[in-house]
Amino acid sequence: MHIMEGFLPPLHAAAWGAGALPFVVIGIRKAGRLLREKPETRLLLGACAAFSFVLSALKLPSVTGSCSHPTGTGLGAVLFGPPIMTLIATIVLLFQALLLAHGGLTTLGANLFSMGIVGPWVAWACYRSGQSVNLSLPTTVFLAATLGNLSTYVTTALQLALAFPDPASGVVGSALKFLVVFAVTQIPLAIVEGLLTVAVVNWLTRYSPDELQQLAVLRGTHEVKEACHVA
Amino acid sequence: MHVLDQIAHENAWSRRGTGGKVFLTFGLMGTALGGSPPFAAILVLVATLLLARLSALVPMRIFLGVLAVPLGFLATGLPVLALSVGWQGGPVLLWSAAGATDAMLLGVRSLATLSAMLLLSMTTPPMRLISLGQRVGLSPVFVDLAMLTYRLLFVLSDVALSGFRSQSFRLGYQGWRTSLRSLSLLVAGLLGRTMHQAQRLETGLAARGHTGALPVLTSLPKTRPLEWIGAVTLPGGIFWASRDLAAIWTGHG
């Protein structure tokens, strides 16, 4: 759920941009270190960013009858790791604004915070927690993708509530309004994206173990066992 | 996406200086956000539509079509601002006239800033914007990856589209369960193809002894003095005109 161009007050837009900047810098540093150590991963990184862009342009069938696009935060975090996913999300959001009019330049920081930082880190935390308590892979991936998607929607609702507090009930009332209005479409979409991500990961573990092993380099996990276990 | 990219390369402003266009865009956005509402936003909206149609020769049907993309977000977001949550023995929704006015102003402002951004994106290829970013100090890693991504995303989107069409012709999107299965196969297959493509490119470059960055040569036209004057005076003029209009309106009120 992208906040459209010009929707946020200038100070809020700048504040979210400043909040997202350190995470982008960390992502750039990690990618820079990776490229110095393994220059051959340059094309892989570019291809992964292009994949994320195309993934976000695909239409997701929703149980409510409408169509939307997957955020890809869960799948991206599981495949590439959160720091690299933040860098990829920055590039993807920039091209989405310029080529598709999704999101915007002034709202890039706010959208990046929800879709490139909160979503991937929540998905990653769910994934690692699921692994640590020995949940099955489909359950872990489903929780990571669904909660990653939901957390982006909750963050966006909070960003809007902070920008436009309710005259009577303040930020809390405004947050409730945005959460309830967007919940009608976002909760079913989050569940569908969770199911889709489980199906994608099942196909990948069955038919593309080599590619998953290759992606482990981006996440910094070199163990073959872990790579074959998707993340 | 392909259409917008094609227009960005072929419009009458494509040879204009990138720096001047970026300055004009951010000037117009700043005016729409900081000028007197709603006059500043309305004037910016009108100015960008006129510039796009009459000067840059961008097809209006496509410009307006893209401008309509985020209307869904406005349709769900703006009514929320017109309602207020109160407490009368339980939570109740109350109509707020002030909130409705703010929502309308916000809708016009959003459309104006989006229109200014579209004026930039439909008159300037993204590669030139990234090159400009490189000149003003963006991280080389970011610039390198952004350029590579831009090159690859058109190839991949064509692959995704052809895969989607093939699945559709085989009734792969009939019903919800089938759609989900087809889409998961498409995404998994696309990731495999993406990585094979990257491997093939890497092998080809390695065979030529390449180990470093992949510089992409992009021409960056210089902004002429007259373009700079327009980029400064138009937003400034709109800003002051909006203040005058607001003062006249208040005087009448």
Side-chain angles (χ1 to χ4, degrees), chain A residues 45 72 98 175 178 190:
Chain A
L45 269 175
L98 292 173
F178 281 110

Side-chain angles (χ1 to χ4, degrees), chain B residues 2-77:
Chain B
H2 286 69
V3 177
L4 289 195
D5 194 58
Q6 192 179 345
I7 291 171
H9 280 93
E10 292 178 350
N11 69 88
W13 278 18
S14 63
R15 301 304 305 165
R16 282 198 179 195
T18 308
K21 283 188 281 187
V22 171
F23 195 91
L24 174 67
T25 298
F26 281 103
L28 289 171
M29 282 181 172
T31 303
L33 291 169
S36 300
F39 302 103
I42 292 170
L43 289 173
V44 166
L45 189 57
V46 172
T48 48
L49 288 173
L50 289 175
L51 285 174
R53 178 68 191 94
L54 301 176
S55 184
L57 304 180
V58 172
M60 233 348 67
R61 187 176 54 83
I62 294 172
F63 193 96
L64 293 175
V66 180
L67 195 62
V69 166
L71 286 183
F73 180 82
L74 288 181
T76 48

Side-chain angles (χ1 to χ4, degrees), chain A residues 4-8 28 39-40 42-43 47 49 53 59 61 97-99 101 164 166 169 177 199 203 211 214, chain B residues 1 4 66 74 80 83-85 106 109-110 113 117 121 139 144 148-149 176 184 194-196 199 202 211-212:
Chain A
M4 77 173 283
E5 180 64 80
F7 202 82
L8 288 180
I28 288 174
E40 67 275 12
R42 184 180 307 274
L43 287 160
F53 179 91
K59 281 183 178 168
L98 292 173
L99 294 171
F164 308 105
D166 188 273
S169 48
K177 283 191 296 183
W203 294 122
E211 281 76 15
Q214 205 182 349
Chain B
M1 184 173 80
L4 289 195
V66 180
L74 288 181
V80 176
L83 295 171
S84 178
V85 180
L106 181 61
R109 190 184 81 181
S110 300
T113 48
M117 189 192 76
S121 66
S139 155
D144 200 22
L148 194 57
T149 305
W176 186 76
S184 66
T194 305
M195 295 182 66
H196 288 158
Q199 275 171 350
E202 205 281 320
T211 52

